[in-house]
Amino acid sequence: MGYYVTVESGVKLYVEDIHPERSKTIVFLHGWPLSHKQFEYQFDVLPILGYRCIGIDWRGFGKSDKPISGYSFDQLADDIRSIVSVLQLDIFTLVGHSTGGAIAIRYMSRHNGFGVSNLVLIDAAAPVGFTAETATKFLTQALNDRPKMMREVTESFFFQYITSSFSEWFSQLGLQAAGWSTAAIIITLRDEKLYGDLQKIHVPTLIVHGVHDKVIPFAQAHELNKNIRNSQLVPFHYSGHGCFWEERDKFNQLLKQFVG
């Protein structure tokens, strides 16, 4: 089922809650500039295996409200905390892809990992996000030709072949976002660092990263693995930035094993 949760006055976030009667819960945080729908090929499988899957659209993205401000990692993590409180989640696995991984890391440090029993970081944009050069390019495109930006994001995202139909669908996910929120996250990824957050993660952490990732270099996965205690790194040798789709059977099985 889908519904909205108010996270602050005038701001409601969209939540897709699949199989809510199950006790084993997985909360998914999408990447920039996408939505919870990027996890379609997890939502097709994991609920049937008995898991409650919750996909959250951040503010500014997907079906959520799109305020003009509030795009720092602190605020985005606070939004997740509000949803956790409203849904009364107390034991769940938190999964974050790319920028969603960065938000998950900030949630763990800022809110002491409230309710989180396991953490999964997928091609996480951490401890750093975009270089100044990459950010300048994306920011210019976002403010002048956002469809072109989204096409280039899609082209660099995957290592494996994607059909034109899939490419179009994927690009449209990004274009559901507001232009201002798309740009604001680029600036956040350029300016905010997460080095100090990593030592505050105290739950078992699974790090998965595509070896051929052109968006967030694979070397950053090693840095996360080195600095997050009780973490394990699993390389995906046939993936770029989208191992949740490119090697979805392997990813889904690995996630099932990790969550238990």
Side-chain angles (χ1 to χ4, degrees):
M1 72 177 79
Y3 48 80
Y4 286 87
V5 173
T6 300
V7 294
E8 67 177 20
S9 179
V11 180
K12 301 185 299 297
L13 301 194
Y14 181 78
V15 176
E16 189 73 35
D17 193 347
I18 309 167
H19 217 177
E21 64 274 15
R22 304 302 294 184
S23 59
K24 289 187 177 180
T25 301
I26 309 174
V27 175
F28 292 83
L29 304 180
H30 63 83
W32 170 90
L34 305 170
S35 74
H36 76 278
K37 290 187 176 182
Q38 76 171 74
F39 294 112
E40 174 174 335
Y41 299 93
Q42 282 65 59
F43 297 158
D44 286 347
V45 174
L46 294 171
I48 295 173
L49 298 177
Y51 297 96
R52 179 186 185 184
C53 292
I54 298 174
I56 301 170
D57 287 349
W58 328 329
R59 64 170 62 207
F61 295 81
K63 296 181 179 180
S64 289
D65 286 350
K66 298 171 174 62
I68 199 66
S69 62
Y71 298 100
S72 66
F73 285 149
D74 281 354
Q75 182 60 63
L76 294 166
D78 290 351
D79 289 347
I80 303 306
R81 180 65 182 88
S82 296
I83 290 173
V84 168
S85 178
V86 170
L87 300 188
Q88 299 181 356
L89 303 177
D90 54 1
I91 302 175
F92 63 94
T93 296
L94 183 59
V95 177
H97 170 253
S98 194
T99 308
I103 296 167
I105 289 171
R106 179 56 52 85
Y107 177 89
M108 297 303 293
S109 66
R110 185 170 171 84
H111 297 289
N112 198 30
F114 183 84
V116 178
S117 56
N118 298 285
L119 176 65
V120 181
L121 302 174
I122 312 166
D123 298 287
V128 297
F130 291 150
T131 64
E133 180 183 6
T134 298
T136 297
K137 180 187 75 172
F138 280 146
L139 195 57
T140 299
Q141 291 181 337
L143 296 175
N144 293 281
D145 192 342
R146 195 157 59 97
K148 179 183 178 183
M149 183 208 76
M150 197 59 224
R151 186 184 67 193
E152 291 190 8
V153 168
T154 302
E155 288 173 352
S156 64
F157 206 96
F158 299 100
F159 173 68
Q160 295 194 31
Y161 169 78
I162 60 173
T163 64
S164 59
S165 299
F166 184 93
S167 176
E168 177 63 23
W169 170 77
F170 194 80
S171 293
Q172 287 302 316
L173 295 185
L175 293 175
Q176 290 175 5
W180 57 87
S181 53
T182 300
I185 293 295
I186 295 171
I187 295 170
T188 297
L189 286 168
R190 181 193 66 191
D191 295 347
E192 294 202 36
K193 315 301 179 190
L194 295 161
Y195 291 101
D197 300 74
L198 303 182
Q199 301 297 327
K200 299 177 182 179
I201 298 174
H202 303 295
V203 300
T205 301
L206 173 64
I207 301 165
V208 299
H209 209 108
V211 170
H212 305 281
D213 195 333
K214 295 180 181 178
V215 181
I216 302 297
F218 183 75
Q220 291 191 203
H222 283 295
E223 190 162 6
L224 293 179
N225 187 209
K226 178 182 177 182
N227 288 284
I228 299 175
R229 70 187 69 182
N230 197 17
S231 66
Q232 59 174 307
L233 169 60
V234 178
F236 276 61
H237 294 282
Y238 304 100
S239 293
H241 196 56
C243 63
F244 59 91
W245 180 81
E246 294 179 273
E247 296 180 75
R248 50 198 173 277
D249 291 341
K250 174 183 175 180
F251 175 82
N252 291 341
Q253 182 61 29
L254 186 63
L255 184 57
K256 175 179 179 292
Q257 292 173 353
F258 184 67
V259 175

